[in-house]
Amino acid sequence: MLKSGNGKADTGGNDSSASRKTNGVNKGQVQESSVEDVLAELNQLVGLEAVKHLVKELRAFIDIQQQRQQMHLRTEPLVMHMIFRGNPGTGKTTVARIIGQLFKEMNVLPKGHSIEVERADLVGEYIGHTAQRTKEQVKKALGGILFIDEAYSLARGGEKDFGKEAIDVLVKAMEDHKDDFILILAGYRDEMDWFLLTNPGLRSRFPIHIDFPDYTVDELLGISDLMLEKREYSLTPGAKVELRKLVNNKLIYGHEHSGNARLVRNIIEKAIRRQAVRLVNHHNLGRKELMRITPEDLREAVKNDS
């Protein structure tokens, strides 16, 4: 994966800052600007401080290894396969996409795109079918990232399950295409720890483990602010108090995986629909009325939640 800093960046795959800023700027400046743009996107995410720190560490490591290569010094191998551990809705897929973009800009991956799959996309219905399907997904991911969510499900069926065949194909692909793609396996923390124990050769192939903690109340409210701003809605002062109360209650009394971005996204989207019902028969609505979410909108949004 380690390429000379003089190599040309592939402009295929996802659109990037590098492909948009070529006039009047030398290539070194373009690349650095693009890396900073990607890191800025990462920094805009709410929370995930440990994740951000590790990504910056990886960026620094890759950069120094590339400089050492240019000076004909020995370099450390760039084995970048990763394990993401955390509950659903804690940012794992988003971070995988950002890492793909970052590694493209740093000439680690030629494309940097992300192929996101789960067990159903890999496991077939008869002998040989799984290998075929898994190889097809690996082929799609070449030049970028293959992201497998709930990867532990591949090992749950035991020795006779076709999921084991998918694991074997993935392990072989990591050897055959070791410089051509990055494999990221994601899932719940405990289940992923168990999964790595099912195959003695797996843990050593994934040197990077990143934990994604559940969001705090304040972080979830920060995420809701970004969602509302993007959609051009706003909470009244009373609605801000109501949302904090709702989120706090969900975290205390909800299920063990309540602390994720899907919680506030669902509340906000339902509240927007409830606002529409409240306003639909009103006439001559102004800009503020169309943007404003009230406490009642939020209460109606969660009224029938179990």
Side-chain angles (χ1 to χ4, degrees):
M1 291 178 184
L2 184 57
K3 297 177 176 62
S4 167
N6 296 326
K8 295 182 179 179
D10 189 329
T11 58
N14 295 330
D15 187 24
S16 69
S17 299
S19 63
R20 297 192 297 267
K21 300 179 181 178
T22 54
N23 293 332
V25 184
N26 70 52
K27 290 181 181 179
Q29 290 173 324
V30 169
Q31 183 179 358
E32 184 61 26
S33 174
S34 299
V35 169
E36 295 305 325
D37 287 346
V38 176
L39 290 176
E41 183 180 350
L42 175 67
N43 288 330
Q44 287 173 3
L45 300 179
V46 174
L48 301 175
E49 297 308 319
V51 176
K52 294 172 184 176
H53 178 78
L54 182 53
V55 171
K56 291 177 183 177
E57 186 178 284
L58 293 176
R59 177 265 181 106
F61 172 72
I62 293 167
D63 183 65
I64 292 302
Q65 294 307 308
Q66 290 175 334
Q67 290 187 48
R68 288 177 61 87
Q69 186 180 61
Q70 291 175 355
M71 297 296 176
H72 305 290
L73 294 170
R74 289 186 177 180
T75 58
E76 296 294 320
L78 291 187
V79 181
M80 292 288 162
H81 303 301
M82 306 180 190
I83 298 292
F84 284 7
R85 301 182 298 190
N87 293 327
T90 50
K92 298 187 296 295
T93 304
T94 299
V95 171
R97 294 170 184 169
I98 291 175
I99 287 175
Q101 296 168 16
L102 176 64
F103 285 1
K104 176 188 175 183
E105 301 303 341
M106 297 196 70
N107 293 327
V108 176
L109 294 170
K111 295 181 180 179
H113 64 299
S114 179
I115 300 298
E116 297 152 16
V117 300
E118 53 189 21
R119 176 186 166 95
D121 300 301
L122 302 174
V123 178
E125 301 174 355
Y126 50 84
I127 295 175
H129 191 206
T130 295
Q132 175 188 340
R133 297 183 74 170
T134 304
K135 288 176 181 177
E136 288 173 355
Q137 298 297 342
V138 169
K139 185 177 180 180
K140 292 178 185 177
L142 292 180
I145 286 175
L146 180 59
F147 179 89
I148 304 178
D149 199 13
E150 298 184 357
Y152 52 83
S153 64
L154 295 174
R156 277 190 166 167
E159 286 295 318
K160 296 183 179 180
D161 183 71
F162 290 138
K164 183 178 182 299
E165 186 178 1
I167 296 172
D168 293 340
V169 172
L170 290 168
V171 169
K172 187 174 187 302
M174 293 167 72
E175 290 296 325
D176 294 346
H177 304 285
K178 60 183 178 181
D179 295 330
D180 299 326
F181 83 113
I182 290 172
L183 180 61
I184 299 179
L185 304 183
Y188 296 116
R189 181 186 178 91
D190 291 344
E191 281 83 346
M192 290 305 297
D193 289 343
W194 167 83
F195 172 65
L196 292 175
L197 294 174
T198 64
N199 187 317
L202 278 177
R203 183 174 292 275
S204 63
R205 298 176 190 275
F206 293 90
I208 302 170
H209 291 217
I210 304 181
D211 289 324
F212 289 74
D214 287 351
Y215 293 106
T216 65
V217 171
D218 286 337
E219 288 170 344
L220 289 172
L221 293 175
I223 291 171
S224 73
D225 287 341
L226 293 176
M227 292 178 179
L228 289 162
E229 181 181 355
K230 183 177 180 180
R231 292 165 171 80
E232 295 189 325
Y233 285 90
S234 61
L235 299 176
T236 66
K240 291 181 180 180
V241 174
E242 183 67 22
L243 182 59
R244 176 176 287 275
K245 182 174 71 173
L246 291 173
V247 170
N248 193 54
N249 286 341
K250 289 284 187 180
L251 295 189
I252 294 174
Y253 301 112
H255 61 70
E256 60 179 318
H257 306 314
S258 292
N260 60 62
R262 295 175 190 176
L263 168 64
V264 290
R265 185 186 66 198
N266 288 341
I267 293 176
I268 293 301
E269 290 178 349
K270 289 179 181 178
I272 288 173
R273 295 197 295 270
R274 295 310 304 172
Q275 184 234 40
V277 172
R278 175 170 58 83
L279 296 179
V280 69
N281 292 322
H282 292 225
H283 302 289
N284 301 318
L285 291 167
R287 181 180 178 87
K288 288 185 178 180
E289 286 80 11
L290 291 169
M291 294 177 65
R292 192 162 50 210
I293 301 292
T294 67
E296 185 61 25
D297 295 328
L298 291 168
R299 285 191 287 268
E300 286 292 321
V302 300
K303 195 172 185 178
N304 297 319
D305 287 356
S306 56

